mmCIF file of all heavy atoms in Angstrom:
data_model
loop_
_atom_site.group_PDB
_atom_site.id
_atom_site.type_symbol
_atom_site.label_atom_id
_atom_site.label_comp_id
_atom_site.label_asym_id
_atom_site.label_seq_id
_atom_site.Cartn_x
_atom_site.Cartn_y
_atom_site.Cartn_z
ATOM 1 N N ALA A 76 13.327 -38.510 -60.059
ATOM 2 C CA ALA A 76 14.695 -38.852 -60.423
ATOM 3 C C ALA A 76 15.367 -37.718 -61.149
ATOM 4 O O ALA A 76 16.524 -37.422 -60.990
ATOM 5 C CB ALA A 76 14.724 -40.163 -61.277
ATOM 6 N N GLN A 77 14.611 -37.066 -62.059
ATOM 7 C CA GLN A 77 15.177 -35.924 -62.768
ATOM 8 C C GLN A 77 15.469 -34.742 -61.858
ATOM 9 O O GLN A 77 16.472 -34.099 -62.051
ATOM 10 C CB GLN A 77 14.188 -35.512 -63.897
ATOM 11 C CG GLN A 77 14.131 -36.472 -65.024
ATOM 12 C CD GLN A 77 13.067 -36.116 -66.074
ATOM 13 O OE1 GLN A 77 12.131 -35.406 -65.770
ATOM 14 N NE2 GLN A 77 13.212 -36.701 -67.267
ATOM 15 N N HIS A 78 14.554 -34.483 -60.945
ATOM 16 C CA HIS A 78 14.739 -33.319 -60.042
ATOM 17 C C HIS A 78 15.794 -33.565 -58.962
ATOM 18 O O HIS A 78 16.489 -32.649 -58.557
ATOM 19 C CB HIS A 78 13.403 -32.887 -59.443
ATOM 20 C CG HIS A 78 12.527 -32.239 -60.450
ATOM 21 N ND1 HIS A 78 12.713 -30.935 -60.864
ATOM 22 C CD2 HIS A 78 11.465 -32.727 -61.161
ATOM 23 C CE1 HIS A 78 11.802 -30.635 -61.799
ATOM 24 N NE2 HIS A 78 11.048 -31.676 -61.994
ATOM 25 N N LYS A 79 15.901 -34.798 -58.499
ATOM 26 C CA LYS A 79 16.894 -35.141 -57.445
ATOM 27 C C LYS A 79 18.225 -35.673 -58.044
ATOM 28 O O LYS A 79 19.158 -35.893 -57.343
ATOM 29 C CB LYS A 79 16.307 -36.202 -56.529
ATOM 30 C CG LYS A 79 15.236 -35.732 -55.640
ATOM 31 C CD LYS A 79 15.812 -34.868 -54.525
ATOM 32 C CE LYS A 79 14.805 -34.615 -53.476
ATOM 33 N NZ LYS A 79 15.365 -33.846 -52.363
ATOM 34 N N LYS A 80 18.242 -35.846 -59.412
ATOM 35 C CA LYS A 80 19.390 -36.315 -60.100
ATOM 36 C C LYS A 80 19.851 -37.655 -59.562
ATOM 37 O O LYS A 80 21.024 -37.837 -59.094
ATOM 38 C CB LYS A 80 20.523 -35.315 -60.090
ATOM 39 C CG LYS A 80 20.192 -34.015 -60.875
ATOM 40 C CD LYS A 80 21.245 -33.024 -60.871
ATOM 41 C CE LYS A 80 20.978 -31.744 -61.622
ATOM 42 N NZ LYS A 80 19.627 -31.339 -61.797
ATOM 43 N N MET A 81 18.917 -38.577 -59.471
ATOM 44 C CA MET A 81 19.126 -39.915 -58.975
ATOM 45 C C MET A 81 18.418 -40.900 -59.921
ATOM 46 O O MET A 81 17.521 -40.505 -60.657
ATOM 47 C CB MET A 81 18.561 -40.043 -57.558
ATOM 48 C CG MET A 81 19.091 -39.050 -56.592
ATOM 49 S SD MET A 81 18.226 -39.059 -55.009
ATOM 50 C CE MET A 81 19.100 -40.307 -54.186
ATOM 51 N N PRO A 82 18.737 -42.210 -59.846
ATOM 52 C CA PRO A 82 18.070 -43.167 -60.672
ATOM 53 C C PRO A 82 16.583 -43.336 -60.213
ATOM 54 O O PRO A 82 16.271 -43.212 -58.988
ATOM 55 C CB PRO A 82 18.784 -44.476 -60.422
ATOM 56 C CG PRO A 82 20.076 -44.095 -59.771
ATOM 57 C CD PRO A 82 19.916 -42.776 -59.109
ATOM 58 N N ALA A 83 15.727 -43.529 -61.123
ATOM 59 C CA ALA A 83 14.244 -43.698 -60.802
ATOM 60 C C ALA A 83 14.009 -44.889 -59.880
ATOM 61 O O ALA A 83 13.104 -44.862 -59.071
ATOM 62 C CB ALA A 83 13.476 -43.796 -62.089
ATOM 63 N N ILE A 84 14.820 -45.902 -60.013
ATOM 64 C CA ILE A 84 14.623 -47.126 -59.230
ATOM 65 C C ILE A 84 14.709 -46.849 -57.745
ATOM 66 O O ILE A 84 14.072 -47.552 -56.896
ATOM 67 C CB ILE A 84 15.607 -48.271 -59.632
ATOM 68 C CG1 ILE A 84 15.208 -49.607 -59.138
ATOM 69 C CG2 ILE A 84 17.024 -47.945 -59.216
ATOM 70 C CD1 ILE A 84 14.187 -50.269 -59.989
ATOM 71 N N VAL A 85 15.424 -45.827 -57.355
ATOM 72 C CA VAL A 85 15.573 -45.410 -55.949
ATOM 73 C C VAL A 85 14.218 -45.023 -55.368
ATOM 74 O O VAL A 85 13.949 -45.264 -54.185
ATOM 75 C CB VAL A 85 16.547 -44.190 -55.823
ATOM 76 C CG1 VAL A 85 16.512 -43.587 -54.421
ATOM 77 C CG2 VAL A 85 17.965 -44.671 -56.155
ATOM 78 N N PHE A 86 13.348 -44.514 -56.163
ATOM 79 C CA PHE A 86 12.008 -44.103 -55.743
ATOM 80 C C PHE A 86 10.973 -45.184 -56.039
ATOM 81 O O PHE A 86 9.996 -45.317 -55.284
ATOM 82 C CB PHE A 86 11.589 -42.779 -56.424
ATOM 83 C CG PHE A 86 12.587 -41.673 -56.179
ATOM 84 C CD1 PHE A 86 13.486 -41.352 -57.145
ATOM 85 C CD2 PHE A 86 12.639 -41.025 -54.999
ATOM 86 C CE1 PHE A 86 14.449 -40.357 -56.963
ATOM 87 C CE2 PHE A 86 13.545 -40.020 -54.788
ATOM 88 C CZ PHE A 86 14.439 -39.660 -55.741
ATOM 89 N N GLU A 87 11.119 -45.941 -57.091
ATOM 90 C CA GLU A 87 10.112 -46.902 -57.529
ATOM 91 C C GLU A 87 9.997 -48.083 -56.542
ATOM 92 O O GLU A 87 8.878 -48.457 -56.154
ATOM 93 C CB GLU A 87 10.483 -47.470 -58.885
ATOM 94 C CG GLU A 87 10.284 -46.482 -59.989
ATOM 95 C CD GLU A 87 10.776 -46.993 -61.348
ATOM 96 O OE1 GLU A 87 11.579 -47.928 -61.363
ATOM 97 O OE2 GLU A 87 10.354 -46.422 -62.341
ATOM 98 N N VAL A 88 11.137 -48.674 -56.130
ATOM 99 C CA VAL A 88 11.091 -49.852 -55.311
ATOM 100 C C VAL A 88 10.452 -49.623 -53.922
ATOM 101 O O VAL A 88 9.544 -50.325 -53.520
ATOM 102 C CB VAL A 88 12.475 -50.553 -55.253
ATOM 103 C CG1 VAL A 88 12.404 -51.718 -54.230
ATOM 104 C CG2 VAL A 88 12.912 -51.021 -56.570
ATOM 105 N N PRO A 89 10.912 -48.581 -53.214
ATOM 106 C CA PRO A 89 10.282 -48.335 -51.867
ATOM 107 C C PRO A 89 8.768 -47.988 -52.001
ATOM 108 O O PRO A 89 7.953 -48.379 -51.229
ATOM 109 C CB PRO A 89 11.040 -47.192 -51.301
ATOM 110 C CG PRO A 89 12.353 -47.220 -51.971
ATOM 111 C CD PRO A 89 12.094 -47.720 -53.378
ATOM 112 N N ALA A 90 8.433 -47.206 -53.077
ATOM 113 C CA ALA A 90 7.043 -46.770 -53.266
ATOM 114 C C ALA A 90 6.135 -47.988 -53.639
ATOM 115 O O ALA A 90 4.891 -47.937 -53.379
ATOM 116 C CB ALA A 90 6.910 -45.695 -54.329
ATOM 117 N N LEU A 91 6.719 -49.031 -54.133
ATOM 118 C CA LEU A 91 5.966 -50.208 -54.494
ATOM 119 C C LEU A 91 5.555 -51.105 -53.303
ATOM 120 O O LEU A 91 4.611 -51.854 -53.387
ATOM 121 C CB LEU A 91 6.786 -51.016 -55.467
ATOM 122 C CG LEU A 91 6.177 -52.323 -55.997
ATOM 123 C CD1 LEU A 91 4.968 -52.007 -56.875
ATOM 124 C CD2 LEU A 91 7.256 -53.042 -56.834
ATOM 125 N N VAL A 92 6.241 -50.933 -52.186
ATOM 126 C CA VAL A 92 6.051 -51.812 -51.037
ATOM 127 C C VAL A 92 4.590 -51.923 -50.558
ATOM 128 O O VAL A 92 4.135 -53.024 -50.299
ATOM 129 C CB VAL A 92 7.001 -51.386 -49.896
ATOM 130 C CG1 VAL A 92 6.624 -52.066 -48.614
ATOM 131 C CG2 VAL A 92 8.444 -51.687 -50.251
ATOM 132 N N PRO A 93 3.848 -50.843 -50.442
ATOM 133 C CA PRO A 93 2.445 -51.019 -49.969
ATOM 134 C C PRO A 93 1.587 -51.886 -50.920
ATOM 135 O O PRO A 93 0.509 -52.361 -50.496
ATOM 136 C CB PRO A 93 1.922 -49.570 -49.940
ATOM 137 C CG PRO A 93 3.075 -48.722 -49.778
ATOM 138 C CD PRO A 93 4.207 -49.411 -50.543
ATOM 139 N N PHE A 94 1.967 -52.018 -52.166
ATOM 140 C CA PHE A 94 1.189 -52.745 -53.102
ATOM 141 C C PHE A 94 1.512 -54.214 -53.259
ATOM 142 O O PHE A 94 0.846 -54.992 -53.944
ATOM 143 C CB PHE A 94 1.332 -52.081 -54.517
ATOM 144 C CG PHE A 94 0.834 -50.669 -54.460
ATOM 145 C CD1 PHE A 94 1.764 -49.615 -54.297
ATOM 146 C CD2 PHE A 94 -0.485 -50.344 -54.541
ATOM 147 C CE1 PHE A 94 1.307 -48.325 -54.250
ATOM 148 C CE2 PHE A 94 -0.913 -49.045 -54.457
ATOM 149 C CZ PHE A 94 -0.032 -48.032 -54.289
ATOM 150 N N VAL A 95 2.609 -54.656 -52.659
ATOM 151 C CA VAL A 95 3.024 -56.045 -52.764
ATOM 152 C C VAL A 95 1.991 -56.945 -52.090
ATOM 153 O O VAL A 95 1.609 -56.712 -50.981
ATOM 154 C CB VAL A 95 4.444 -56.281 -52.092
ATOM 155 C CG1 VAL A 95 4.800 -57.699 -52.011
ATOM 156 C CG2 VAL A 95 5.498 -55.456 -52.834
ATOM 157 N N PRO A 96 1.539 -57.991 -52.811
ATOM 158 C CA PRO A 96 0.465 -58.840 -52.270
ATOM 159 C C PRO A 96 0.958 -59.858 -51.242
ATOM 160 O O PRO A 96 0.684 -61.060 -51.381
ATOM 161 C CB PRO A 96 -0.077 -59.525 -53.526
ATOM 162 C CG PRO A 96 1.120 -59.604 -54.431
ATOM 163 C CD PRO A 96 1.958 -58.375 -54.160
ATOM 164 N N GLY A 97 1.622 -59.439 -50.221
ATOM 165 C CA GLY A 97 2.131 -60.342 -49.177
ATOM 166 C C GLY A 97 1.019 -60.978 -48.363
ATOM 167 O O GLY A 97 1.152 -62.182 -48.038
#
Side-chain angles (χ1 to χ4, degrees):
Q77 288 174 340
H78 287 284
K79 290 285 192 176
K80 295 182 180 24
M81 303 171 87
I84 196 83
V85 168
F86 303 101
E87 288 173 342
V88 173
L91 180 65
V92 168
F94 300 97
V95 173

